[in-house]
Amino acid sequence: MLDNSLSDEAARQFQICNSCRYCEGYCDVFPQLFSLPEMSAAQATHLANLCHNCRGCYYACQYAPPHEFDLNLPAVLAELRQDTWERHARPQALARVFHAHGVAVAAALIVGFALLFFAMAALRPEAGEGFYAYLSHNAMVLIFAPAFVLPLLGLALSLRSYWREIGGGWVTWADLKRMSGSVARMKNLSGGAGQGCNFEQGARYSNARRHAHQATLWGFLMCFAATSVATLMHYGLGWEAPYPFWSPPKLLGVPGGILLCLGTGALAWLKLRADKGLGAAKVWGGEMAFVLLLFTVSATGLALYAVTGTGAVPALLAIHLGAVLAFFVLTPYTKMVHGFYRMAALMKRSN
């Protein structure tokens, strides 16, 4: 159930914003807010997930602290988003645990899964090339197929619950096109006029966070495409790993891994420089844990490719697979969900 005090505070701040309207061109939140005849809890939840936490509105606001109105819209929307993700997660308790103790949970899972894979690698299959010389293809499928599908199912149920709460209707091609264009360009991190946002500090406009998000997004999609293409090649063409550098999985996976590494590294650096008071401060560790988990997945994958054919492969393979499995298992409970919720919010915008 939505925290009423949080919803009431969001409504108070929205009312002041609606009277001022200075920030109308900053992002999608404000035009949508100003078009509403009245504010409901569901509409506040929807607007919170439209917000990309660029913080430009806070630094431009004449009613921000120390003004008596005490407006901090980025923080209240971040808290409202966090409440949304936790309420719709299945089961909710796991989301709360991760967001409160994210680094410890992610590290424990990576270590635990890595030890499991290292132990399995000791029972080497009788035949196999590349990584399959240490862990058979069938064993990988048996482990990773349910670890991928079941969390996705949980995420789908969470999104369905959110969509119903905000009153989402049928999605049209125009909705998908608008959402895709906004996500691809990270339009809501542009500051409205393309100068970027104030995530690091109020006096400095920068596109650094926008570019870091784009690197992370496209790097992740390229890595996912590499895995998908390799699966099609394995089952459809009978072309089994290992693959040469000029093959599609490598041409997608290596640049994708580099982009993902650079993007998540930049996001972590920017997060360390930003004001915690303009976000959901109580879950800062969980948010950072998600970024570091993605970085670990990409960095260990690149390192594993670099040490192919050496004695470092068994240990590094176990660490990489442990990180990937931890990422899959934790997907419905980490900040990974924010991308799906924001895409849904962007599609709902004109409904």
Side-chain angles (χ1 to χ4, degrees):
M1 186 174 182
L2 180 62
D3 185 335
N4 287 332
S5 62
L6 188 57
S7 178
D8 290 345
E9 176 59 18
R12 181 189 76 85
Q13 297 201 28
F14 279 141
Q15 185 176 20
I16 297 170
C17 291
N18 204 11
S19 300
C20 173
R21 302 200 171 201
Y22 179 81
C23 299
E24 186 164 7
Y26 277 32
C27 67
D28 283 335
V29 171
F30 296 102
Q32 179 71 4
L33 166 63
F34 301 151
S35 70
L36 296 174
E38 59 182 2
M39 180 61 60
S40 67
Q43 288 164 337
T45 297
H46 167 55
L47 292 176
N49 283 280
L50 268 181
C51 172
H52 287 54
N53 198 233
C54 82
R55 308 179 178 194
C57 62
Y58 175 84
Y59 290 114
C61 183
Q62 61 183 318
Y63 302 118
H67 193 279
E68 61 181 328
F69 287 172
D70 194 32
L71 252 67
N72 187 344
L73 197 60
V76 75
L77 293 185
E79 295 284 357
L80 201 52
R81 279 195 302 278
Q82 187 63 38
D83 177 82
T84 304
W85 304 337
E86 290 184 2
R87 281 189 297 108
H88 293 291
R90 301 290 184 271
Q92 295 179 8
L94 290 180
R96 295 192 184 100
V97 169
F98 179 82
H99 288 295
H101 311 286
V103 175
V105 171
L109 283 180
I110 291 174
V111 171
F113 288 147
L115 290 174
L116 172 64
F117 284 119
F118 191 72
M120 292 177 66
L123 306 172
R124 297 176 63 156
E126 295 181 0
E129 295 184 53
F131 302 148
Y132 298 146
Y134 302 94
L135 190 64
S136 71
H137 175 79
N138 290 338
M140 287 193 184
V141 171
L142 187 64
I143 294 169
F144 282 96
F148 176 71
V149 173
L150 292 178
L152 276 186
L153 177 60
L155 179 58
L157 293 174
S158 170
L159 280 171
R160 185 183 68 170
S161 177
Y162 165 71
W163 192 250
R164 287 177 173 176
E165 178 181 322
I166 64 174
W170 289 100
V171 176
T172 66
W173 173 251
D175 295 327
L176 287 169
K177 183 179 179 181
R178 184 190 61 250
M179 177 274 291
S180 301
S182 178
V183 171
R185 294 180 287 114
M186 295 291 169
K187 183 174 75 71
N188 282 277
L189 291 176
S190 70
Q195 77 275 20
C197 58
N198 308 75
F199 187 77
E200 299 165 72
Q201 54 183 299
R204 181 174 185 266
Y205 287 94
S206 168
N207 277 299
R209 187 162 173 258
R210 185 184 187 186
H211 295 157
H213 268 87
Q214 287 176 317
T216 300
L217 170 67
W218 292 108
F220 180 85
L221 290 177
M222 289 176 71
C223 290
F224 183 79
T227 303
S228 301
V229 168
T231 301
L232 291 174
M233 290 169 62
H234 181 96
Y235 291 104
L237 302 177
W239 186 0
E240 300 182 1
Y243 301 110
F245 181 79
W246 295 109
S247 64
K250 287 293 191 294
L251 290 176
L252 288 167
V254 174
I258 293 172
L259 273 178
L260 188 55
C261 227
L262 293 173
T264 52
L267 286 175
W269 179 73
L270 289 169
K271 196 167 186 64
L272 289 171
R273 291 167 54 88
D275 184 351
K276 292 183 182 179
L278 301 185
K282 66 180 181 180
V283 296
W284 187 92
E287 293 180 347
M288 180 61 86
F290 165 67
V291 175
L292 294 178
L293 180 57
L294 267 182
F295 177 84
T296 302
V297 169
S298 56
T300 55
L302 291 171
L304 188 59
Y305 178 63
V307 302
T308 299
T310 72
V313 168
L316 200 51
L317 178 63
I319 295 171
H320 176 64
L321 293 179
V324 173
L325 187 57
F327 171 74
F328 283 170
V329 170
L330 291 172
T331 289
Y333 315 110
T334 67
K335 203 177 177 181
M336 183 70 183
V337 301
H338 86 288
F340 296 96
Y341 275 75
R342 281 195 177 133
M343 286 190 289
L346 287 165
M347 285 190 289
K348 167 68 172 61
R349 188 164 64 92
S350 64
N351 286 347

